[in-house]
Amino acid sequence: MMFWYDHGVSGWGWFAMSAGMILFWALIITVAVLLFRALNRPTQHTRTPAEDILRERLARGEIDEDEYRRRLNALHAGPLTKP
């Protein structure tokens, strides 16, 4: 007796399984891409009030670009220590 041929998945069943598989893999790929982007996002440098003041002084023309860069590098170097 081979009655199992009579209880197979119909055409709509195959369509539903195929659509479900495509949606499943689309979801997996989307999650992987979003996770990859989130982990490779560069860390943002937070500006300090001193940097904002320097930027404003440059914009007002109080200091030139060379002076701005020199002072900005001094700020990023950290505090000076006295021996």
Side-chain angles (χ1 to χ4, degrees):
M1 265 175 59
M2 295 192 197
F3 65 90
W4 57 81
Y5 289 115
D6 213 14
H7 301 289
V9 178
S10 67
W12 286 109
W14 285 108
F15 174 76
M17 285 191 332
S18 298
M21 185 60 71
I22 290 170
L23 289 175
F24 171 76
W25 284 110
L27 178 68
I28 295 296
I29 291 170
T30 301
V31 168
V33 167
L34 291 176
L35 186 63
F36 179 76
R37 284 185 181 177
L39 293 177
N40 285 335
R41 182 174 298 153
T43 57
Q44 296 178 350
H45 176 69
T46 57
R47 294 188 326 210
T48 63
E51 291 177 25
D52 291 337
I53 292 170
L54 274 178
R55 201 169 281 111
E56 289 172 8
R57 290 186 66 194
L58 177 65
R60 286 193 300 259
E62 295 177 9
I63 58 175
D64 62 357
E65 190 174 342
D66 292 332
E67 180 73 12
Y68 170 77
R69 292 190 189 281
R70 187 174 61 79
R71 291 182 182 217
L72 190 62
N73 287 336
L75 282 174
H76 289 169
L80 297 176
T81 56
K82 294 184 180 183

